[in-house]
Amino acid sequence: MVMVFYGSNGKSNPVSMENKVEHQTENQITYDIYLPSDLGMLYKVRLGLQSLENNISQLSLHHFKIQNTSTLDTFSLTINKTLPLSPNGDRWIEFPIQWPLKEALSVVTYHLTIFSRNILNERNLMHMTACIYGTHGDTGDRSLLQSWQNVQQGEKNESFLVIVDAVDLGELEKIVFLISSKTDCKLDIKKLHVQEAAKEHPIYVFEVNEEFSVNANKPKIQREIPRSFVIGGEKQKNYIDNNLNKEGSKVKNLTEYTIKVYTGDKRGAGTDANVHIILFGNEDKSEVFQLSKSLEHQNPFERGKVDTFKIRTKKLGSLRSIEIGHDGKGFASGWFLEKVEITDAARNSMHCFNCNR
């Protein structure tokens, strides 16, 4: 068993309990541990099983109590969980520490969606972990390939969902993932999405777009992926405001675009997922826009319908390309997009982007 303690000034190194038993009764073990004095006020603990190879070991946790021997401040929590949390599942749990007169953070369930081109074929050949970092700390390394859900396969792409419970991370900043294998294999990762399970927004997007080759020369590959952008919610508004106001930009310098989205007339063509778009010009690219308020329909992106949206953004120059996609939310979220037509009011020009897929 290993514990990691998080304080206002940082986190401890992993504390192994292997050789630290001080007092033991039938159902209770007490440890004396010494943490760095510069850790600050403790606010969370991550507790788990260190070995990832032994799938037989289980640890049943009923109660946790910690006491500062100097101040005698005490925190206790009833846990009643068994690690791993499911067969071959997460071997870690996190919980906040609530000291007297201190407000504690809450535990949040995060949905991490991985978009790939070939991970289903390579799943059994490799091990993959990810550590999500935010303004309130990190999740530690969590196994990804042992507990995935909601697998979706398309003609060229596939995705799967991993559920991670962690003490509130605040605003997400980066993901560090590690891929390892005992045999030669390749893994093509497009991007990662992270959001709170209880909220539709914001969605944190981490663009990867890289093929990783694991072999005898490179048995382990580690990558740090900074946040690319945020979809939806107050964080998207702040992102847009910050980008539009850089270098003293004025609202009068914004360009208005009219976007017409044509959903195909095929069975199952419509979607209830949240659709976003990014515009690319020869001078710059836009921020991420959520296409939610259609000028024609209260429920956009239905079969055979055309939805119009108006957006305003900084000057992009001549429009060259777009990125359009959705977050996979809702039942049968697959969407058949026929085409997108965009009118640039400032240049009095119209661009058509055919999709037909």
Side-chain angles (χ1 to χ4, degrees):
M1 185 171 67
V2 176
M3 295 186 192
V4 180
F5 296 86
Y6 287 74
S8 54
N9 298 330
K11 67 177 181 179
S12 73
N13 292 324
V15 180
S16 174
M17 301 302 166
E18 184 177 2
N19 298 313
K20 293 184 180 295
V21 177
E22 300 291 341
H23 318 287
Q24 182 170 353
T25 61
E26 183 178 357
N27 295 314
Q28 177 178 312
I29 302 177
T30 302
Y31 305 95
D32 289 339
I33 60 174
Y34 301 88
L35 298 176
S37 59
D38 58 357
L39 207 57
M41 177 67 71
L42 296 183
Y43 69 88
K44 85 167 180 178
V45 174
R46 183 165 65 252
L47 186 156
L49 302 174
Q50 188 171 35
S51 172
L52 291 174
E53 297 178 357
N54 185 353
N55 292 323
I56 299 174
S57 297
Q58 285 190 327
L59 178 65
S60 294
L61 302 165
H62 299 291
H63 198 75
F64 177 89
K65 180 179 178 180
I66 184 172
Q67 183 178 59
N68 184 320
T69 56
S70 298
T71 64
L72 300 184
D73 284 343
T74 304
F75 164 79
S76 62
L77 175 72
T78 298
I79 299 176
N80 287 334
K81 291 183 178 180
T82 298
L83 294 177
L85 296 178
S86 62
N88 298 320
D90 200 345
R91 291 172 170 264
W92 297 91
I93 59 171
E94 290 193 358
F95 47 87
I97 297 180
Q98 185 165 11
W99 297 112
L101 305 179
K102 294 287 183 179
E103 184 177 357
L105 296 171
S106 57
V107 175
V108 174
T109 297
Y110 290 95
H111 282 180
L112 168 62
T113 305
I114 301 176
F115 296 85
S116 174
R117 290 186 178 89
N118 67 334
I119 203 165
L120 291 174
N121 295 332
E122 303 292 324
R123 176 191 181 189
N124 296 323
L125 301 177
M126 62 178 59
H127 182 69
M128 184 175 177
T129 64
C131 180
I132 307 171
Y133 288 80
T135 52
H136 295 160
D138 61 76
T139 62
D141 292 334
R142 303 295 186 93
S143 179
L144 299 184
L145 301 184
Q146 274 68 45
S147 56
W148 59 3
Q149 302 180 28
N150 195 27
V151 178
Q152 297 189 14
Q153 282 186 277
E155 185 177 340
K156 294 184 178 180
N157 302 307
E158 55 200 26
S159 67
F160 67 91
L161 173 68
V162 177
I163 296 177
V164 176
D165 289 330
V167 173
D168 188 356
L169 296 169
E171 188 170 342
L172 305 188
E173 297 175 331
K174 66 179 180 180
I175 295 178
V176 176
F177 65 84
L178 176 69
I179 301 169
S180 61
S181 176
K182 295 181 179 179
T183 185
D184 292 358
C185 56
K186 291 183 178 181
L187 182 59
D188 193 337
I189 300 178
K190 294 180 63 181
K191 59 184 176 180
L192 312 171
H193 283 188
V194 184
Q195 67 188 111
E196 294 184 26
K199 299 179 181 178
E200 289 192 2
H201 301 107
I203 301 171
Y204 294 87
V205 180
F206 301 82
E207 297 280 3
V208 183
N209 294 318
E210 187 174 347
E211 183 179 77
F212 302 94
S213 296
V214 184
N215 51 50
N217 296 324
K218 274 188 177 179
K220 292 184 178 181
I221 297 177
Q222 181 173 307
R223 285 289 185 278
E224 179 177 307
I225 309 297
R227 183 186 70 207
S228 301
F229 53 85
V230 183
I231 300 174
E234 186 64 25
K235 290 182 174 61
Q236 181 185 9
K237 179 180 181 297
N238 294 338
Y239 176 89
I240 293 171
D241 290 344
N242 291 338
N243 280 276
L244 293 183
N245 291 324
K246 279 181 182 177
E247 300 176 3
S249 297
K250 305 295 183 181
V251 173
K252 64 183 181 181
N253 290 329
L254 300 184
T255 299
E256 183 176 86
Y257 293 92
T258 301
I259 301 174
K260 286 184 175 293
V261 180
Y262 293 73
T263 298
D265 190 7
K266 291 176 176 284
R267 183 180 179 183
T271 186
D272 293 325
N274 301 299
V275 175
H276 73 273
I277 193 170
I278 307 173
L279 279 55
F280 296 83
N282 65 344
E283 296 178 8
D284 208 340
K285 73 173 183 177
S286 77
E287 56 276 16
V288 184
F289 285 96
Q290 186 91 11
L291 299 180
S292 56
K293 295 183 179 179
S294 168
L295 299 184
E296 291 90 359
H297 308 110
Q298 186 173 359
N299 189 18
F301 314 118
E302 293 297 297
R303 173 178 175 176
K305 301 295 185 181
V306 181
D307 294 285
T308 304
F309 306 86
K310 289 186 179 290
I311 65 172
R312 300 178 77 192
T313 185
K314 55 193 171 183
K315 290 184 177 179
L316 307 176
S318 178
L319 203 58
R320 295 291 176 83
S321 63
I322 63 172
E323 176 190 302
I324 188 166
H326 65 76
D327 61 0
K329 287 287 186 181
F331 177 73
S333 59
W335 179 39
F336 190 92
L337 173 63
E338 185 178 310
K339 63 179 178 179
V340 179
E341 291 179 351
I342 301 180
T343 301
D344 183 341
R347 292 173 174 260
N348 194 27
S349 60
M350 195 274 281
H351 304 263
C352 182
F353 300 93
N354 291 305
C355 182
N356 291 315
R357 68 185 69 177

